[in-house]
mmCIF file of all heavy atoms in Angstrom:
data_model
loop_
_atom_site.group_PDB
_atom_site.id
_atom_site.type_symbol
_atom_site.label_atom_id
_atom_site.label_comp_id
_atom_site.label_asym_id
_atom_site.label_seq_id
_atom_site.Cartn_x
_atom_site.Cartn_y
_atom_site.Cartn_z
ATOM 1 N N VAL G 128 -17.963 30.714 7.079
ATOM 2 C CA VAL G 128 -16.619 30.793 7.675
ATOM 3 C C VAL G 128 -16.100 32.225 7.635
ATOM 4 O O VAL G 128 -15.177 32.570 8.371
ATOM 5 C CB VAL G 128 -15.592 29.861 6.986
ATOM 6 C CG1 VAL G 128 -15.945 28.414 7.235
ATOM 7 C CG2 VAL G 128 -15.435 30.171 5.518
ATOM 8 N N LEU G 129 -16.686 33.057 6.778
ATOM 9 C CA LEU G 129 -16.345 34.481 6.794
ATOM 10 C C LEU G 129 -17.161 35.119 7.911
ATOM 11 O O LEU G 129 -18.358 35.362 7.772
ATOM 12 C CB LEU G 129 -16.665 35.120 5.440
ATOM 13 C CG LEU G 129 -15.936 34.509 4.239
ATOM 14 C CD1 LEU G 129 -16.401 35.166 2.944
ATOM 15 C CD2 LEU G 129 -14.426 34.623 4.386
ATOM 16 N N ASN G 130 -16.507 35.336 9.027
ATOM 17 C CA ASN G 130 -17.159 35.829 10.234
ATOM 18 C C ASN G 130 -17.853 37.176 9.962
ATOM 19 O O ASN G 130 -17.188 38.165 9.649
ATOM 20 C CB ASN G 130 -16.071 35.986 11.305
ATOM 21 C CG ASN G 130 -16.618 36.370 12.655
ATOM 22 O OD1 ASN G 130 -17.715 36.910 12.750
ATOM 23 N ND2 ASN G 130 -15.851 36.076 13.689
ATOM 24 N N PRO G 131 -19.204 37.226 10.088
ATOM 25 C CA PRO G 131 -19.913 38.467 9.759
ATOM 26 C C PRO G 131 -19.553 39.638 10.663
ATOM 27 O O PRO G 131 -19.794 40.794 10.305
ATOM 28 C CB PRO G 131 -21.395 38.090 9.919
ATOM 29 C CG PRO G 131 -21.412 36.822 10.679
ATOM 30 C CD PRO G 131 -20.107 36.124 10.463
ATOM 31 N N ALA G 132 -18.936 39.357 11.813
ATOM 32 C CA ALA G 132 -18.490 40.447 12.685
ATOM 33 C C ALA G 132 -17.290 41.176 12.068
ATOM 34 O O ALA G 132 -16.965 42.290 12.464
ATOM 35 C CB ALA G 132 -18.121 39.903 14.064
ATOM 36 N N PHE G 133 -16.655 40.545 11.092
ATOM 37 C CA PHE G 133 -15.451 41.132 10.492
ATOM 38 C C PHE G 133 -15.613 41.390 8.997
ATOM 39 O O PHE G 133 -15.054 42.344 8.475
ATOM 40 C CB PHE G 133 -14.242 40.206 10.718
ATOM 41 C CG PHE G 133 -13.827 40.095 12.146
ATOM 42 C CD1 PHE G 133 -14.440 39.208 13.009
ATOM 43 C CD2 PHE G 133 -12.819 40.911 12.638
ATOM 44 C CE1 PHE G 133 -14.057 39.118 14.343
ATOM 45 C CE2 PHE G 133 -12.428 40.833 13.962
ATOM 46 C CZ PHE G 133 -13.054 39.937 14.822
ATOM 47 N N VAL G 134 -16.364 40.515 8.322
ATOM 48 C CA VAL G 134 -16.497 40.623 6.868
ATOM 49 C C VAL G 134 -17.874 41.208 6.533
ATOM 50 O O VAL G 134 -18.904 40.609 6.825
ATOM 51 C CB VAL G 134 -16.335 39.246 6.192
ATOM 52 C CG1 VAL G 134 -16.507 39.374 4.689
ATOM 53 C CG2 VAL G 134 -14.986 38.642 6.547
ATOM 54 N N THR G 135 -17.861 42.403 5.953
ATOM 55 C CA THR G 135 -19.101 43.095 5.620
ATOM 56 C C THR G 135 -19.480 42.768 4.177
ATOM 57 O O THR G 135 -18.696 43.010 3.266
ATOM 58 C CB THR G 135 -18.893 44.622 5.728
ATOM 59 O OG1 THR G 135 -18.143 44.895 6.899
ATOM 60 C CG2 THR G 135 -20.211 45.350 5.760
ATOM 61 N N ARG G 136 -20.666 42.225 3.986
ATOM 62 C CA ARG G 136 -21.118 41.933 2.626
ATOM 63 C C ARG G 136 -21.898 43.134 2.102
ATOM 64 O O ARG G 136 -22.876 43.550 2.715
ATOM 65 C CB ARG G 136 -21.994 40.678 2.608
ATOM 66 C CG ARG G 136 -21.256 39.453 3.105
ATOM 67 C CD ARG G 136 -22.066 38.175 2.968
ATOM 68 N NE ARG G 136 -21.368 37.075 3.644
ATOM 69 C CZ ARG G 136 -21.662 35.790 3.518
ATOM 70 N NH1 ARG G 136 -22.678 35.427 2.737
ATOM 71 N NH2 ARG G 136 -20.985 34.860 4.162
ATOM 72 N N ARG G 137 -21.467 43.677 0.990
ATOM 73 C CA ARG G 137 -22.105 44.886 0.456
ATOM 74 C C ARG G 137 -22.639 44.621 -0.943
ATOM 75 O O ARG G 137 -21.916 44.104 -1.797
ATOM 76 C CB ARG G 137 -21.094 46.027 0.411
ATOM 77 C CG ARG G 137 -20.636 46.405 1.810
ATOM 78 C CD ARG G 137 -20.122 47.831 1.884
ATOM 79 N NE ARG G 137 -19.767 48.127 3.265
ATOM 80 C CZ ARG G 137 -18.620 48.680 3.652
ATOM 81 N NH1 ARG G 137 -17.732 49.054 2.746
ATOM 82 N NH2 ARG G 137 -18.367 48.902 4.929
ATOM 83 N N GLU G 138 -23.871 45.022 -1.157
ATOM 84 C CA GLU G 138 -24.481 44.798 -2.468
ATOM 85 C C GLU G 138 -23.982 45.826 -3.476
ATOM 86 O O GLU G 138 -23.971 47.027 -3.223
ATOM 87 C CB GLU G 138 -26.007 44.880 -2.348
ATOM 88 C CG GLU G 138 -26.697 44.594 -3.672
ATOM 89 C CD GLU G 138 -28.214 44.640 -3.551
ATOM 90 O OE1 GLU G 138 -28.744 44.438 -2.437
ATOM 91 O OE2 GLU G 138 -28.864 44.885 -4.591
ATOM 92 N N ILE G 139 -23.598 45.328 -4.635
ATOM 93 C CA ILE G 139 -23.221 46.204 -5.740
ATOM 94 C C ILE G 139 -24.473 46.565 -6.529
ATOM 95 O O ILE G 139 -25.232 45.675 -6.934
ATOM 96 C CB ILE G 139 -22.229 45.498 -6.695
ATOM 97 C CG1 ILE G 139 -20.899 45.209 -5.994
ATOM 98 C CG2 ILE G 139 -22.004 46.324 -7.957
ATOM 99 C CD1 ILE G 139 -19.898 44.437 -6.872
ATOM 100 N N ASN G 140 -24.702 47.835 -6.720
ATOM 101 C CA ASN G 140 -25.752 48.271 -7.639
ATOM 102 C C ASN G 140 -25.102 48.581 -8.984
ATOM 103 O O ASN G 140 -24.103 49.301 -9.045
ATOM 104 C CB ASN G 140 -26.465 49.511 -7.081
ATOM 105 C CG ASN G 140 -27.197 49.183 -5.796
ATOM 106 O OD1 ASN G 140 -28.010 48.256 -5.758
ATOM 107 N ND2 ASN G 140 -26.886 49.920 -4.736
ATOM 108 N N LEU G 141 -25.666 48.017 -10.032
ATOM 109 C CA LEU G 141 -25.057 48.184 -11.350
ATOM 110 C C LEU G 141 -24.980 49.660 -11.721
ATOM 111 O O LEU G 141 -25.863 50.454 -11.384
ATOM 112 C CB LEU G 141 -25.863 47.418 -12.402
ATOM 113 C CG LEU G 141 -25.909 45.893 -12.216
ATOM 114 C CD1 LEU G 141 -26.683 45.236 -13.372
ATOM 115 C CD2 LEU G 141 -24.510 45.299 -12.111
ATOM 116 N N ASP G 142 -23.907 50.010 -12.417
ATOM 117 C CA ASP G 142 -23.705 51.351 -12.961
ATOM 118 C C ASP G 142 -23.650 52.436 -11.887
ATOM 119 O O ASP G 142 -23.888 53.610 -12.173
ATOM 120 C CB ASP G 142 -24.803 51.671 -13.991
ATOM 121 C CG ASP G 142 -24.821 50.643 -15.116
ATOM 122 O OD1 ASP G 142 -23.762 50.437 -15.731
ATOM 123 O OD2 ASP G 142 -25.877 50.032 -15.357
ATOM 124 N N THR G 143 -23.322 52.032 -10.661
ATOM 125 C CA THR G 143 -23.225 52.973 -9.555
ATOM 126 C C THR G 143 -21.845 52.823 -8.905
ATOM 127 O O THR G 143 -21.553 51.789 -8.312
ATOM 128 C CB THR G 143 -24.311 52.664 -8.497
ATOM 129 O OG1 THR G 143 -25.575 52.600 -9.156
ATOM 130 C CG2 THR G 143 -24.344 53.724 -7.422
ATOM 131 N N PRO G 144 -21.003 53.859 -9.022
ATOM 132 C CA PRO G 144 -19.647 53.721 -8.474
ATOM 133 C C PRO G 144 -19.662 53.490 -6.962
ATOM 134 O O PRO G 144 -20.502 54.046 -6.247
ATOM 135 C CB PRO G 144 -19.000 55.079 -8.796
ATOM 136 C CG PRO G 144 -19.826 55.665 -9.894
ATOM 137 C CD PRO G 144 -21.217 55.158 -9.681
ATOM 138 N N PHE G 145 -18.756 52.657 -6.497
ATOM 139 C CA PHE G 145 -18.565 52.449 -5.053
ATOM 140 C C PHE G 145 -17.063 52.415 -4.792
ATOM 141 O O PHE G 145 -16.266 52.165 -5.693
ATOM 142 C CB PHE G 145 -19.259 51.167 -4.570
ATOM 143 C CG PHE G 145 -18.716 49.896 -5.180
ATOM 144 C CD1 PHE G 145 -17.753 49.131 -4.527
ATOM 145 C CD2 PHE G 145 -19.181 49.459 -6.416
ATOM 146 C CE1 PHE G 145 -17.251 47.958 -5.096
ATOM 147 C CE2 PHE G 145 -18.685 48.291 -6.997
ATOM 148 C CZ PHE G 145 -17.721 47.537 -6.342
ATOM 149 N N ALA G 146 -16.717 52.656 -3.545
ATOM 150 C CA ALA G 146 -15.296 52.715 -3.164
ATOM 151 C C ALA G 146 -14.974 51.534 -2.258
ATOM 152 O O ALA G 146 -15.209 51.599 -1.051
ATOM 153 C CB ALA G 146 -14.979 54.026 -2.463
ATOM 154 N N PRO G 147 -14.428 50.445 -2.793
ATOM 155 C CA PRO G 147 -14.085 49.303 -1.938
ATOM 156 C C PRO G 147 -12.949 49.638 -0.979
ATOM 157 O O PRO G 147 -12.867 49.085 0.109
ATOM 158 C CB PRO G 147 -13.671 48.220 -2.937
ATOM 159 C CG PRO G 147 -13.226 48.960 -4.158
ATOM 160 C CD PRO G 147 -14.082 50.196 -4.204
ATOM 161 N N LEU G 148 -12.079 50.572 -1.418
ATOM 162 C CA LEU G 148 -10.975 51.057 -0.596
ATOM 163 C C LEU G 148 -10.865 52.556 -0.828
ATOM 164 O O LEU G 148 -11.265 53.053 -1.888
ATOM 165 C CB LEU G 148 -9.644 50.424 -1.037
ATOM 166 C CG LEU G 148 -9.487 48.917 -0.886
ATOM 167 C CD1 LEU G 148 -8.151 48.474 -1.476
ATOM 168 C CD2 LEU G 148 -9.590 48.511 0.576
ATOM 169 N N PRO G 149 -10.295 53.299 0.127
ATOM 170 C CA PRO G 149 -10.090 54.727 -0.112
ATOM 171 C C PRO G 149 -9.240 54.937 -1.367
ATOM 172 O O PRO G 149 -8.227 54.256 -1.556
ATOM 173 C CB PRO G 149 -9.319 55.178 1.132
ATOM 174 C CG PRO G 149 -9.629 54.150 2.184
ATOM 175 C CD PRO G 149 -9.837 52.865 1.456
ATOM 176 N N GLY G 150 -9.678 55.841 -2.222
ATOM 177 C CA GLY G 150 -8.880 56.177 -3.399
ATOM 178 C C GLY G 150 -9.178 55.358 -4.635
ATOM 179 O O GLY G 150 -8.597 55.598 -5.688
ATOM 180 N N ILE G 151 -10.051 54.361 -4.512
ATOM 181 C CA ILE G 151 -10.437 53.543 -5.670
ATOM 182 C C ILE G 151 -11.950 53.545 -5.808
ATOM 183 O O ILE G 151 -12.658 53.276 -4.835
ATOM 184 C CB ILE G 151 -9.982 52.074 -5.515
ATOM 185 C CG1 ILE G 151 -8.462 51.962 -5.404
ATOM 186 C CG2 ILE G 151 -10.484 51.228 -6.690
ATOM 187 C CD1 ILE G 151 -7.965 50.524 -5.274
ATOM 188 N N HIS G 152 -12.434 53.867 -6.989
ATOM 189 C CA HIS G 152 -13.853 53.690 -7.270
ATOM 190 C C HIS G 152 -14.044 52.629 -8.340
ATOM 191 O O HIS G 152 -13.322 52.605 -9.341
ATOM 192 C CB HIS G 152 -14.497 55.013 -7.702
ATOM 193 C CG HIS G 152 -15.048 55.794 -6.545
ATOM 194 N ND1 HIS G 152 -14.282 56.683 -5.816
ATOM 195 C CD2 HIS G 152 -16.283 55.773 -5.967
ATOM 196 C CE1 HIS G 152 -15.023 57.199 -4.842
ATOM 197 N NE2 HIS G 152 -16.245 56.675 -4.908
ATOM 198 N N ILE G 153 -15.010 51.774 -8.109
ATOM 199 C CA ILE G 153 -15.326 50.714 -9.064
ATOM 200 C C ILE G 153 -16.774 50.868 -9.503
ATOM 201 O O ILE G 153 -17.657 51.143 -8.688
ATOM 202 C CB ILE G 153 -15.099 49.321 -8.441
ATOM 203 C CG1 ILE G 153 -13.608 49.105 -8.164
ATOM 204 C CG2 ILE G 153 -15.647 48.212 -9.347
ATOM 205 C CD1 ILE G 153 -13.233 47.712 -7.652
ATOM 206 N N THR G 154 -16.998 50.720 -10.801
ATOM 207 C CA THR G 154 -18.359 50.695 -11.329
ATOM 208 C C THR G 154 -18.569 49.344 -12.004
ATOM 209 O O THR G 154 -17.810 48.972 -12.900
ATOM 210 C CB THR G 154 -18.573 51.814 -12.368
ATOM 211 O OG1 THR G 154 -18.184 53.062 -11.782
ATOM 212 C CG2 THR G 154 -20.024 51.871 -12.811
#
Side-chain angles (χ1 to χ4, degrees):
Chain G
V128 293
L129 301 176
N130 185 338
F133 293 84
V134 179
T135 317
R136 300 186 188 193
R137 296 204 177 131
E138 183 179 336
I139 295 177
N140 295 306
L141 297 183
D142 302 306
T143 308
F145 63 96
L148 296 176
I151 299 181
H152 270 87
I153 294 185
T154 307

